[in-house]
Amino acid sequence: MLRVALPNKGTLAEPAATMMREAGYRQRSDSRDLSIADEENDIEFFYLRPKDISTYVGSGDLHLGVTGADLKEESGSQVQSLLELGFGASKFRYAALDEGQIKAIEDLEGKRIATSYPRLVRAHLARSRIRAEIVKLDGAVEISVHLGLADAVADVVSSGRTLRQHGLVVIGEAIAESQATLIEREPRPDREQSAEVGAMKRVFTERLRGVVLARQYLMMEYDCPKSVKDAAVKITPGLQAPTISPLDDDAWVAVRSMVKRNKANKVMDQLAALGAKAILTTDIRSCRALKTNGNGQA
């Protein structure tokens, strides 16, 4: 049975469970459950602290895990990314008091920086050739400046609302960017996985890749005059080629093609300008048989 770790709480927990359901996997109905077996798909899910997932996967106790890319790097575990999942996007940044003396990363020299990610911060400071004292906290680092424990903080920033509530502003460029990521243990000659486990991991990964791709695309259908068909196909080339079907009116054809979700409205405008009619879009639940760059991107 394939063993997969999912976040038990936090911003990644519900989106991860939703993705599993869309991929056809059973999920827990009670948030207090620590594990659940999906007998039909021969898989067991374990709900763990997001920070611990890389440790469990890296040790080989679990085959796969879903966690933030920043947490993967911070853990230092022997794991590697298999697939970016397209949710939980955030940036890891420095922040200091809006009216304070720290305005740029160079101003952190000799200062105290509170963070829950000491490994990431230490590496970034070393690359920037800045010497500073790192104050490790498990959470709520924003308040540390007001309490006098630190001069600045380094933390995950999504909307920035929490920073603003404490009078902090980001400084410098992002230390790192993160999103939810599917991870596995790094391969080593002395710990080969069985062919059965390898096959189950591939099936699981491809199911999730199908969901990631489906969320990026819409299915677009429209009626098009034959006279502008070639121009319309250039606007909606699809992943490989559009499906073109005859209509009762010999002067028209029906076209069906996948288009990028974030470009759909612009594409509809262009098709309408050509003379296409009955243009509609529908959601795609899953998509397969598409070559990608390894990160779920077409």
Side-chain angles (χ1 to χ4, degrees):
M1 184 170 279
L2 192 69
R3 300 189 301 273
V4 179
L6 297 179
N8 65 341
K9 59 182 179 180
T11 57
L12 300 182
E14 188 53 39
T18 297
M19 175 168 277
M20 297 306 125
R21 293 188 186 99
E22 290 181 12
Y25 296 110
R26 180 187 174 201
Q27 288 296 288
R28 61 181 180 175
S29 56
D30 189 334
S31 61
R32 293 171 296 183
D33 291 340
L34 300 180
S35 65
I36 185 173
D38 183 345
E39 303 282 353
E40 183 177 347
N41 290 293
D42 200 22
I43 187 170
E44 187 170 10
F45 293 100
F46 296 84
Y47 300 90
L48 308 172
R49 292 179 63 217
K51 282 191 173 183
D52 295 336
I53 289 176
S54 293
T55 301
Y56 279 101
V57 175
S59 68
D61 294 299
L62 299 177
H63 299 118
L64 297 169
V66 173
T67 190
D70 53 347
L71 296 174
K72 175 183 78 72
E73 294 300 324
E74 176 63 27
S75 74
S77 300
Q78 293 181 320
V79 295
Q80 62 185 14
S81 298
L82 273 177
L83 179 67
E84 292 179 345
L85 300 177
F87 63 87
S90 63
K91 293 184 179 182
F92 191 62
R93 310 193 71 158
Y94 295 112
L97 286 174
D98 191 11
E99 303 298 328
Q101 300 293 318
I102 302 174
K103 302 296 184 183
I105 291 179
E106 293 75 15
D107 298 333
L108 294 172
E109 181 71 31
K111 299 296 192 296
R112 297 165 300 164
I113 305 172
T115 185
S116 300
Y117 299 78
R119 181 186 177 91
L120 279 175
V121 174
R122 192 174 293 112
H124 185 266
L125 291 174
R127 292 194 301 271
S128 303
R129 298 185 178 182
I130 294 173
R131 290 174 296 178
E133 178 186 349
I134 296 177
V135 181
K136 185 181 183 304
L137 298 175
D138 285 334
V141 299
E142 295 86 0
I143 198 65
S144 63
V145 176
H146 285 284
L147 294 178
L149 183 66
D151 304 298
V153 302
D155 201 16
V156 173
V157 178
S158 296
S159 66
R161 181 175 58 86
T162 305
L163 292 180
R164 291 191 295 272
Q165 287 177 341
H166 293 86
L168 303 176
V169 294
V170 297
I171 57 174
E173 298 297 323
I175 302 170
E177 297 188 15
S178 179
Q179 66 172 289
T181 305
L182 179 66
I183 62 172
E184 68 173 350
R185 185 174 61 172
E186 289 182 349
R188 275 177 32 185
D190 60 336
R191 54 183 192 189
E192 294 183 3
Q193 68 180 8
S194 69
E196 182 182 8
V197 169
M200 288 191 294
K201 286 168 65 174
R202 284 191 294 274
V203 169
F204 183 82
T205 302
E206 289 309 309
R207 280 202 191 186
L208 296 194
R209 195 189 308 280
V211 175
V212 172
L213 289 169
R215 290 178 175 182
Q216 295 175 359
Y217 289 88
L218 290 171
M219 183 62 73
M220 184 171 290
E221 301 176 72
Y222 57 92
D223 295 341
C224 176
K226 280 186 177 180
S227 59
V228 296
K229 182 192 70 174
D230 291 344
V233 167
K234 288 182 179 179
I235 297 172
T236 59
L239 301 184
Q240 185 165 346
T243 300
I244 301 177
S245 305
L247 294 175
D248 282 345
D249 187 335
D250 290 339
W252 289 72
V253 292
V255 182
R256 193 165 185 260
S257 180
M258 288 173 64
V259 299
K260 282 282 190 177
R261 182 179 294 269
N262 60 2
K263 297 180 180 178
N265 285 306
K266 183 177 180 180
V267 169
M268 293 176 82
D269 293 340
Q270 294 173 323
L271 291 174
L274 276 180
K277 296 183 178 180
I279 308 169
L280 60 89
T281 61
T282 53
D283 283 325
I284 302 170
R285 184 168 182 179
S286 189
C287 175
R288 298 289 182 96
L290 173 64
K291 292 182 179 180
T292 66
N293 63 8
N295 290 325
Q297 305 295 320

